[in-house]
């Protein structure tokens, strides 16, 4: 799609830091599939487009179960897809693609892909040492494997990681809890990237406006997706932090299948956010499947019109 619309291409290098628990299909119908994951989660995934998976069960719900999982999260060259790099890296570089290292650590991936939301939120209050050990282990494994990739001569332009810390109208936890349990791991990831001379981009869905000052202390370079429909104030972010933070997103995904509405939103938003640089156009989450090719063409044309620098 990027080539068709003549927009920038982004390539992401992924790694496997899971405990590599047994993965198997438990049930499959015409509508859904229930299976276990390498993280020890039983998940029900629906086959309809734009569906949300249902997390049915979690293996790692106690510090004791975590210790078993942690021992399985070994550092090994076998956890890196060297074949993919060998076959594609040269082409990515030749084409001028933006190459990202896909880190995997923090609150969001720990609660959703390993322990469960309720378990982790309670543990953040009652068993913070366990929670921080999970955050640290995830990050340790990411750094160890991306060090291997870097040392093998493969370069990337930035690191990125998903850590959704909010939902509609509020955050999952307080600023003090962020500072006590999570901030230092975000900062360590950013420091690792900066030591390599590359950038760090945080993806965090939901309304995280209250956390922004503390998040900025980590030194992140870019924030995505700036979810308008959850309560994020993209104009306020631009005004207050636009000189030190690249904004990536901030265009309401709900509008993308309405040609008039999305065109108006782009014309109102992009000229403000592009001022003095520091803005990357994107939706505030994803591109809905309801968006037609005609609409997508119009969106790209409008962005190029109002977003270019003369």
């Amino acid at each position: 799609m990027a080539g068709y619309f003549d927009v920038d291409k982004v390539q992401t290098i992924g790694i496997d830091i899971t405990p590599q628990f047994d993965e198997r299909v438990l049930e499959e119908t015409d509508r859904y599939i229930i299976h276990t994951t390498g993280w020890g989660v039983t998940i029900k995934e629906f086959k309809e487009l734009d569906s949300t998976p249902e997390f049915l069960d979690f293996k790692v719900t106690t510090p004791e179960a975590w210790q078993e999982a942690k021992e399985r999260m070994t550092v090994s060259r076998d956890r890196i897809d060297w074949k993919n790099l060998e076959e594609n890296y040269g082409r990515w570089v030749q084409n001028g693609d933006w190459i990202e290292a896909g880190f995997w650590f923090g609150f969001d991936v720990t609660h959703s892909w390993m322990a469960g939301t309720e378990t982790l939120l309670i543990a953040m209050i009652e068993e913070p040492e366990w929670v921080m050990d999970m955050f640290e282990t995830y990050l340790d494994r990411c750094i160890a494997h991306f060090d291997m990739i870097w040392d093998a001569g493969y370069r990337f332009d930035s690191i990125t990681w998903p850590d959704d810390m909010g939902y509609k109208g509020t955050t999952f936890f307080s600023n003090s809890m962020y500072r006590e349990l999570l901030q230092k791991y975000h900062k360590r990831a950013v420091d690792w990237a900066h030591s390599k001379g590359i950038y760090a981009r945080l993806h965090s869905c939901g309304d995280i406006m209250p956390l922004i000052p503390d998040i900025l202390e980590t030194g992140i370079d870019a924030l995505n997706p700036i979810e308008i429909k959850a309560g994020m104030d993209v104009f306020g972010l631009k005004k207050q932090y636009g000189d030190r933070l690249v904004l990536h997103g901030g265009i309401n995904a709900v509008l993308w299948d309405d040609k008039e509405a999305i065109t108006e939103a782009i014309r109102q938003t992009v000229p403000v956010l592009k001022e003095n640089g520091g803005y990357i156009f994107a939706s505030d989450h994803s591109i809905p499947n309801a968006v037609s090719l005609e609409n997508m063409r119009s969106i790209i044309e409008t962005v190029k019109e109002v977003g270019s620098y003369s």
Side-chain angles (χ1 to χ4, degrees):
M1 186 178 77
Y4 179 85
F5 290 110
D6 189 27
V7 296
D8 294 328
K9 294 181 181 179
V10 178
Q11 309 293 347
T12 303
I13 302 172
I15 56 173
D16 174 17
I17 66 164
T18 73
Q20 297 184 333
F21 286 124
D22 185 36
E23 298 183 44
R24 65 186 188 279
V25 174
L26 303 178
E27 181 183 349
E28 185 170 6
T29 70
D30 291 339
R31 190 181 175 212
Y32 64 80
I33 180 170
I34 298 176
H35 63 98
T36 60
T37 73
W39 293 102
V41 176
T42 302
I43 186 172
K44 183 178 185 178
E45 294 190 88
F46 296 91
K47 297 180 179 180
E48 289 96 340
L49 294 175
D50 292 329
S51 61
T52 301
E54 182 179 356
F55 293 82
L56 303 177
D57 192 29
F58 298 90
K59 186 180 182 72
V60 181
T61 57
T62 65
E64 293 74 25
W66 160 245
Q67 286 305 314
E68 178 191 351
K70 181 179 179 179
E71 290 174 4
R72 299 171 64 101
M73 294 172 68
T74 55
V75 176
S76 169
R77 292 180 63 84
D78 295 337
R79 290 176 174 269
I80 299 168
D81 190 349
W82 296 106
K83 182 179 179 182
N84 177 54
L85 289 169
E86 291 166 1
E87 292 179 350
N88 296 297
Y89 178 79
R91 175 171 52 83
W92 297 342
V93 173
Q94 186 175 9
N95 291 341
D97 298 351
W98 185 267
I99 304 174
E100 291 188 320
F103 273 48
W104 191 259
F105 75 100
F107 166 78
D108 179 30
V109 298
T110 307
H111 85 78
S112 60
W113 292 102
M114 176 172 273
T117 306
E118 184 177 355
T119 295
L120 190 65
L121 286 173
I122 292 173
M124 289 173 76
I125 298 171
E126 298 182 349
E127 301 177 283
E129 294 81 9
W130 169 33
V131 172
M132 289 189 288
D133 190 38
M134 288 193 285
F135 294 166
E136 184 171 45
T137 300
Y138 276 46
L139 181 56
D140 283 346
R141 303 303 182 264
C142 287
I143 288 176
H145 289 95
F146 280 111
D147 269 335
M148 290 183 192
I149 293 170
W150 189 273
D151 292 343
Y154 296 103
R155 297 291 182 263
F156 27 91
D157 301 293
S158 65
I159 69 169
T160 184
W161 73 96
D163 206 348
D164 296 349
M165 294 179 286
Y167 52 104
K168 189 169 184 178
T170 189
T171 59
F172 278 103
F173 42 78
S174 67
N175 286 61
S176 61
M177 188 164 283
Y178 174 75
R179 290 191 294 266
E180 292 168 11
L181 302 183
L182 184 55
Q183 185 184 50
K184 62 183 175 182
Y185 303 110
H186 283 184
K187 186 177 188 308
R188 184 179 163 210
V190 172
D191 289 346
W192 182 88
H194 289 172
S195 74
K196 297 282 193 289
I198 61 175
Y199 300 103
R201 178 173 67 99
L202 169 65
H203 167 98
S204 191
C205 288
D207 183 359
I208 60 168
M209 290 298 294
L211 293 175
I212 294 298
D214 289 322
I215 291 172
L216 286 177
E217 287 185 4
T218 69
I220 65 162
D221 301 292
L223 178 66
N224 163 270
I226 313 170
E227 195 172 1
I228 303 303
K229 56 189 177 295
M232 291 293 285
D233 178 6
V234 70
F235 295 116
L237 289 173
K238 178 66 178 182
K239 182 178 180 179
Q240 191 166 1
Y241 306 112
D243 60 340
R244 55 188 291 206
L245 180 67
V246 171
L247 303 177
H248 180 196
I251 307 295
N252 195 340
V254 173
L255 305 178
W256 282 53
D257 61 351
D258 184 327
K259 188 174 181 179
E260 291 185 4
I262 187 59
T263 299
E264 181 180 359
I266 291 169
R267 291 189 178 279
Q268 289 181 348
T269 305
V270 171
V272 177
L273 300 185
K274 78 168 189 177
E275 190 172 349
N276 298 318
Y279 177 64
I280 302 171
F281 174 80
S283 87
D284 68 345
H285 191 271
S286 56
I287 300 174
N289 286 306
V291 179
S292 67
L293 178 59
E294 178 187 357
N295 265 28
M296 198 65 199
R297 283 201 196 102
S298 176
I299 288 168
I300 298 302
E301 289 171 0
T302 305
V303 172
K304 288 182 177 181
E305 175 194 341
V306 302
S308 62
Y309 293 90
S310 57

